[in-house]
């Protein structure tokens, strides 16, 4: 087997997205073969027992490991700068397998107060059912975070930028607070990708993704992955992943390996398009507030160049008006697609209050600042002129109908 003679740790991220974890196929296939198999045969009983005993390396059964999945795990681990990774069936599979591996009854978990809706549901409903205490805190406020940590805090969980307001959290500062009580810091890095943010450099112990989003990037897979130390990843694989079973299908791993090859060029286009769409939206009268870490006056700029190497391509904005204004804007779009999810080639737009954040109670939604006119857009890879033209005609449709109902032009702002 030909091994690569270059020191892979010196590779630039763009190279790792294409070559990370690659093994040489016996036939020289350029693209990793898809090992679409549930199980692996043993030469004889001695080999079977040696594999089960861990005395011989090799695959046994695809829930325990599969060569296509291994290649993906090694590639993403290399991108995030960790020694190991465990692939999961979905992003939520990665969140739950990671978090449940390190807690037991009586433990405390500290969570950022605005996170992905299903992560919120998992922590606030399921965890508490099993005697795990969970507190939610505004992690942009360091004093509050410090006050909320306890001696029995085992895990601290955050997303940055925070969905959907794109508030940023200083990961290093939270890591320091977590490590004072020997808690692990888990960061959901879905919005940034390892090309824009590598939370390990700021002290995160485990970094996870919904690979459904940018890592795959083509909207045809739901998947997740978590990166960490060899020991932590082995624990996750041998307990919560193996026994609860949310492991990744080899076919999904194969598709994500393909998607990853273009991650670097996709992120460049996503980010460039997002800046233009954000500037366009900011100038609209109907837009009351806009949230985008790329603006020069956004607090994220303090962490730009250190924690973050780009603003990403998710923008949130609030409209003047009420829920019907938001609905009308979305319903007037022709190119931009109304759909949850993000990180796809297609520009996707959604209404958090009635969609991604509907698992929140109305009180929790209000506390998290998710108003009825808040809209989230994931800027895609289309020509940005076409994205903006579609928004322009939808805004025009909104003001026209306002004129019809009131008989005069409405001034917003
Ligand atoms: C989508 C998403 C998840 C959940 O991932 P699934 O693949 O849908 O299970 C978790 N965190 C963030 C930030 C997400 O955007």
């Amino acid at each position: 087997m030909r091994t690569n003679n270059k020191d892979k740790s010196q590779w630039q991220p763009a190279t790792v997205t294409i070559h990370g974890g690659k093994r040489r196929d016996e036939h020289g296939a350029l693209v990793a073969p898809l090992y679409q198999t549930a199980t692996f045969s043993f030469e004889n009983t001695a080999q079977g027992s040696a594999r089960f005993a861990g005395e011989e390396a090799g695959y046994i059964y695809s829930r325990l490991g599969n060569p296509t999945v291994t290649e993906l795990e090694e590639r993403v681990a290399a991108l995030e700068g960790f020694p190991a990774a465990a692939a999961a069936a979905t992003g939520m599979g990665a969140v739950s397998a990671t978090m449940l591996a390190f807690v037991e009854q009586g433990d405390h978990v500290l969570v950022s107060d605005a996170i992905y809706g299903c992560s919120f549901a998992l922590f606030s409903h399921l965890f508490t059912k099993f005697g795990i205490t969970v507190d939610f805190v505004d992690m942009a406020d360091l004093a509050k975070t410090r006050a909320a940590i306890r001696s029995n805090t085992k895990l601290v969980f955050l997303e940055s930028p925070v969905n959907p307001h794109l508030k940023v959290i200083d990961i290093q500062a939270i890591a320091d607070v977590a490590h004072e009580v020997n808690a692990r810091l888990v960061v959901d890095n879905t919005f940034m990708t390892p090309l824009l943010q590598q939370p390990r450099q700021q002290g995160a112990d485990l970094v996870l993704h919904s690979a459904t989003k940018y890592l795959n990037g083509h909207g045809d897979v739901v998947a997740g992955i978590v990166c960490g130390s060899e020991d932590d990843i082995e624990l996750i694989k041998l307990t919560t992943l193996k026994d609860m079973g949310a492991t990744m299908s080899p076919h999904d791993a194969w598709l994500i390996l393909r998607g990853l090859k273009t991650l670097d060029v996709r992120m460049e286009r996503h980010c460039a398009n997002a800046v233009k769409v954000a500037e366009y939206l900011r100038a609209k009268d109907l837009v009351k507030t806009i949230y985008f870490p790329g603006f020069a006056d956004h607090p994220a700029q303090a962490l730009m160049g250190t924690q973050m190497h780009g603003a990403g391509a998710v923008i949130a904005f609030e409209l003047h008006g009420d829920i019907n204004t938001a609905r009308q804007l979305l319903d007037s779009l022709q190119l931009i697609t109304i759909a949850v999810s993000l990180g796809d080639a297609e520009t996707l737009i959604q209404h958090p209050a009635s969609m991604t954040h509907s698992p929140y109670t109305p009180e929790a939604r209000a506390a998290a600042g998710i108003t009825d006119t808040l809209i989230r857009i994931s800027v895609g890879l289309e020509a940005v002129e076409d994205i903006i033209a579609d928004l322009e005609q939808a805004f025009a449709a909104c003001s026209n109908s306002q004129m019809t109902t009131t008989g005069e032009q409405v001034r917003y702002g």
Side-chain angles (χ1 to χ4, degrees), residues 90-92 95 116 119 159 188 190-191 210 212-213 222-223 342:
T90 64
M92 286 316 302
V95 174
Y116 182 71
S119 298
E159 275 172 43
D188 180 337
T190 301
F191 272 46
S210 167
T212 312
K213 318 291 168 54
V222 274
L342 56 108

Side-chain angles (χ1 to χ4, degrees), residues 57 74 85 129 137 144 166 212 264 282 288 312 321 343 345 389 391-392:
E74 290 182 2
K129 217 168 92 177
V137 67
K144 270 194 196 157
L166 308 168
T212 312
D264 188 59
R282 188 177 229 186
K288 186 165 90 180
L391 286 165
E392 182 65 17

Side-chain angles (χ1 to χ4, degrees), residues 89-345:
T90 64
M92 286 316 302
V95 174
S96 57
T98 300
M99 300 299 278
L100 287 168
F102 300 102
V103 282
E104 55 189 44
Q105 196 173 15
D107 285 344
H108 177 247
V109 176
L110 191 61
V111 179
S112 164
D113 65 354
I115 51 167
Y116 182 71
C118 298
S119 298
F120 178 85
L122 175 77
F123 300 141
S124 57
H125 304 148
L126 194 89
F127 272 41
T128 51
K129 217 168 92 177
F130 294 107
I132 299 155
T133 318
V134 183
D135 278 314
F136 296 91
V137 67
D138 176 6
M139 290 193 185
D141 186 330
L142 207 55
K144 270 194 196 157
T145 308
R146 197 174 287 279
I149 206 108
R150 301 192 199 161
S151 57
N152 65 336
T153 306
K154 290 286 160 55
L155 291 168
V156 175
F157 182 95
L158 66 86
E159 275 172 43
S160 182
V162 174
N163 191 18
H165 287 106
L166 308 168
K167 197 159 66 176
V168 290
I169 293 170
D170 183 338
I171 298 173
Q172 182 71 63
I174 303 298
D176 292 345
V177 173
H179 293 159
E180 274 168 29
V181 294
N182 291 322
R184 284 175 174 79
L185 174 63
V186 183
V187 175
D188 180 337
N189 201 27
T190 301
F191 272 46
M192 285 277 95
T193 82
L195 297 184
L196 301 183
Q197 176 169 284
Q198 283 183 311
R200 190 190 190 193
Q201 294 184 359
Q202 276 73 46
D205 302 285
L206 292 141
V207 173
L208 57 85
H209 285 270
S210 167
T212 312
K213 318 291 168 54
Y214 293 104
L215 295 188
N216 179 50
H218 292 72
D220 45 15
V221 160
V222 274
I225 193 157
V226 53
C227 306
S229 70
E230 298 274 8
D231 286 350
D232 282 359
I233 293 301
E234 180 161 292
L235 181 77
I236 292 168
K237 281 190 174 174
L238 294 182
T239 60
T240 44
L241 261 189
K242 171 172 81 66
D243 297 336
M244 292 170 69
T247 46
M248 187 185 282
S249 119
H251 185 247
D252 289 349
W254 189 80
L255 283 169
I256 300 166
L257 281 165
R258 182 168 72 162
L260 269 176
K261 291 184 188 183
T262 55
L263 182 65
D264 188 59
V265 286
R266 283 189 286 112
M267 290 317 289
E268 247 180 67
R269 171 69 86 87
H270 276 300
C271 292
N273 279 0
V275 168
K276 292 191 179 139
V277 171
E279 282 165 358
Y280 164 80
L281 287 170
R282 188 177 229 186
K284 293 307 284 182
D285 286 345
L286 189 58
V287 174
K288 186 165 90 180
T289 324
I290 176 156
Y291 308 96
F292 179 59
F295 286 139
D297 55 355
H298 191 283
Q301 294 299 318
L303 296 166
M304 220 36 102
T306 50
Q307 176 176 308
M308 297 166 76
H309 302 283
V314 178
I315 303 166
F317 57 99
E318 275 170 279
L319 301 176
H320 291 287
D322 57 20
I323 192 163
N324 293 319
T325 323
R327 288 205 168 117
Q328 198 190 357
L329 183 77
L330 266 61
D331 288 336
S332 303
L333 292 163
Q334 292 166 3
L335 170 70
I336 298 171
T337 309
I338 305 172
V340 298
S341 200
L342 56 108
D344 289 330

